Amino acid sequence: MNKGFMVVFDGSNGAGKTTVINEVARYLTEKGFSVVLTREPGGTPIGEKIREVILDPSTPEMCDLTELMLFGAGRAQHLAEKIKPAIAEGKIVLSDRFDAATFSFQHYARGIDLATISQINELALHGFKPEMNIILDLDPLEGLKRVKSRGEGLDRLEDEKMDFLVKARNGYLLQAQQQPDNFSVIDAAQSKTQVLEQVLKIIDNLLAQYA
Ligand code: Z5A
């Protein structure tokens, strides 16, 4: 049996995570690996209900600590119900966002202190860490243009001020600097083909290490 592992696709809003993750899933499936595609907020029936509450644009009054704890609650369920069992079965878990997003959005952008963020993440994860975070880095203004071009409205977080999204972007870059073995940054302003090519190089390296 293959050794299971987890790769997170994260980064700026609208940077192309969903586009890339679907292509990576196809690539791995064609190679014969069992893949679990998932996302945060969300990933489980309970997590998807929590997602609706978190992103609802009609409740801008949500306080920072409520938001943080909802992300934490969803993550605890996600890990217990979906991620750990899949890894134990030798599957490759591909997640659209995970704990790095909480550091970027709730700490670097929202301003909640690092100790509180770490405490909530630790409660949810108990030391669990994905093998790699692939950060798709893009100017959030460009990301919002891409999101709007899909013709959907903005969610509660996308509707924050530009300064908030810029701080979140910088939060990812800082985490990547601090943990170079666990993060890879890709310039998401490149074409879809170029982005995918670079992502697949990282995936091939991970397969050589873990599969
Ligand atoms: N959040 C948080 O605050 N704390 C946490 O702990 C977690 C999350 C886990 C929801 O995330 C919000 O939750 C998010 C962070 C916060 N808020 N913000 N902002 P989400 O992942 O659901 O939302 P999102 O970041 O806005 O993702 P998205 O809208 O799904 O975008 P995406 O998946 O990165 O991009 P896409 O759908 O693949 O691509 C967008 C469009 O661009 C689409 O039309 C593509 O065809 C096009 N595209 C993709 N790649 C390219 C390239 N390379 N060139 C040109 N066009 C492209």
Side-chain angles (χ1 to χ4, degrees):
M1 188 171 80
N2 293 313
K3 197 168 165 233
F5 65 93
M6 178 172 180
V7 186
V8 176
F9 296 78
D10 214 323
S12 310
N13 52 298
K17 295 174 277 77
T18 312
T19 307
V20 166
I21 211 170
N22 288 330
E23 290 300 324
V24 171
R26 192 198 325 264
Y27 176 77
L28 288 170
T29 306
E30 278 171 7
K31 279 183 175 284
F33 293 99
S34 290
V35 173
V36 172
L37 262 185
T38 191
R39 68 173 181 178
E40 280 203 7
T44 63
I46 291 171
E48 292 297 328
K49 287 184 185 170
I50 293 175
R51 178 185 177 94
E52 281 177 30
V53 175
I54 293 176
L55 298 182
D56 187 346
S58 75
T59 49
E61 72 276 19
M62 183 181 291
C63 79
D64 295 355
L65 197 55
T66 301
E67 180 184 89
L68 173 65
M69 291 196 291
L70 285 173
F71 279 118
R75 188 159 301 137
Q77 187 66 30
H78 195 193
L79 187 70
E81 182 182 336
K82 194 166 183 183
I83 299 170
K84 279 199 166 166
I87 290 177
E89 287 169 12
K91 295 180 179 163
I92 301 176
V93 177
L94 305 176
S95 184
D96 189 332
R97 298 201 190 274
F98 200 58
D99 62 330
T102 311
F103 285 102
S104 285
F105 283 88
Q106 279 64 51
H107 170 59
Y108 289 104
R110 193 72 86 202
I112 300 179
D113 67 279
L114 201 52
T116 306
I117 303 283
S118 302
Q119 207 177 3
I120 295 289
N121 265 338
E122 187 43 37
L123 261 177
L125 298 179
H126 290 286
F128 174 88
K129 204 163 110 163
E131 274 66 20
M132 180 55 70
N133 291 277
I134 298 179
I135 304 301
L136 299 185
D137 177 55
L138 185 68
D139 180 341
L141 196 60
E142 182 56 35
L144 277 186
K145 274 191 212 155
R146 288 185 186 176
V147 171
K148 283 179 184 160
S149 75
R150 287 189 308 211
E152 296 162 12
L154 297 182
D155 65 43
R156 192 176 59 82
L157 281 136
E158 287 163 342
D159 210 17
E160 286 278 349
K161 295 194 177 70
M162 187 46 63
D163 177 52
F164 174 87
L165 298 175
V166 170
K167 284 181 184 162
R169 176 199 193 179
N170 292 338
Y172 284 112
L173 297 177
L174 271 168
Q175 291 183 76
Q177 264 174 25
Q178 289 161 357
Q179 303 168 66
D181 293 342
N182 204 233
F183 283 75
S184 296
V185 178
I186 292 188
D187 176 7
Q190 302 176 93
S191 71
K192 289 183 191 177
T193 313
Q194 286 171 315
V195 170
L196 184 63
E197 236 175 60
Q198 290 172 22
V199 168
L200 291 183
K201 275 192 194 147
I202 298 168
I203 297 293
D204 283 340
N205 279 336
L206 289 168
L207 291 177
Q209 263 179 279
Y210 296 106

